[in-house]
Amino acid sequence: MQYDPRHSTTPPSPIEPTGFFTGIKFRPIIGGVIVDTIASIALTTLYYSFFIAKELAAQGDAAEDALSQYWSSSEGLMASLLLGSLGTVIGGFYAGYKAGTLEMKHGALVGIGSIILGLFMQSADMLGEAPEWFMALSFAAAVPAGALGGFFAEMFKGAIGGGRSPASGSRPAPR
């Protein structure tokens, strides 16, 4: 059956392209980058306090020297990568939940913000000396981690009943 405009009271919806930044809210993204940074620092501090400090104290090494040796070891770098990625997931969740729409895109943009902040901190020599492979791996993990946080925000909203249902569209239900 073909579309006959004489029998319809509403015209068909126009086909309009959407831009990349259509529907993006920047305040949740900035908040997500801040949450990401705070969560990463807090997770790393808690990990060090509860697991590494006790182990290093038992060995009797000097605290500052042992700390720098641990974070430059492969075990310390991998722990830092995992905890930083978990912080980005938390920041992506925050941004996606606060945005209320396009949760995964907001979360991925938190990952991009995290990369930009990491490049700034690295150029200001705030991160210390890290191998290039570690920095590349950290930057490669940031966007998927943020998008995963946005995905979790979307699932959380759906679980508590705040999400949009697939049946709801832009047109009202027929009467």
Side-chain angles (χ1 to χ4, degrees), residues 28-54:
I29 295 169
I30 293 169
V33 172
I34 292 170
V35 167
D36 169 19
T37 305
I38 292 171
S40 297
I41 291 170
L43 288 170
T44 304
T45 303
L46 289 173
Y47 174 74
Y48 178 75
S49 298
F50 287 115
F51 297 108
I52 305 307
K54 292 178 184 178

Side-chain angles (χ1 to χ4, degrees), residues 53-76:
K54 292 178 184 178
E55 190 176 306
L56 293 178
Q59 293 176 358
D61 293 339
E64 288 296 319
D65 188 39
L67 174 66
S68 65
Q69 283 181 354
Y70 176 75
W71 289 119
S72 62
S73 71
S74 60
E75 180 185 345

Side-chain angles (χ1 to χ4, degrees), residues 14-33:
I15 299 174
E16 296 177 17
T18 58
F20 182 76
F21 291 107
T22 302
I24 296 298
K25 300 175 185 174
F26 289 101
R27 188 172 288 167
I29 295 169
I30 293 169
V33 172

Side-chain angles (χ1 to χ4, degrees), residues 97-171:
Y97 187 78
K98 285 295 185 181
T101 182
L102 301 172
E103 291 88 355
M104 287 180 65
K105 188 182 272 190
H106 282 89
L109 287 170
V110 167
I112 292 173
S114 177
I115 290 171
I116 293 169
L117 184 62
L119 287 171
F120 173 74
M121 290 175 73
Q122 184 182 19
S123 68
D125 205 24
M126 295 175 164
L127 299 177
E129 198 63 36
E132 291 178 9
W133 65 266
F134 173 74
M135 296 307 293
L137 193 58
S138 297
F139 293 155
V143 175
L148 182 64
F151 173 75
F152 287 152
E154 189 174 348
M155 293 295 106
F156 181 74
K157 282 177 56 178
I160 62 172
R164 53 190 183 272
S165 66
S168 67
S170 60
R171 291 192 264 172

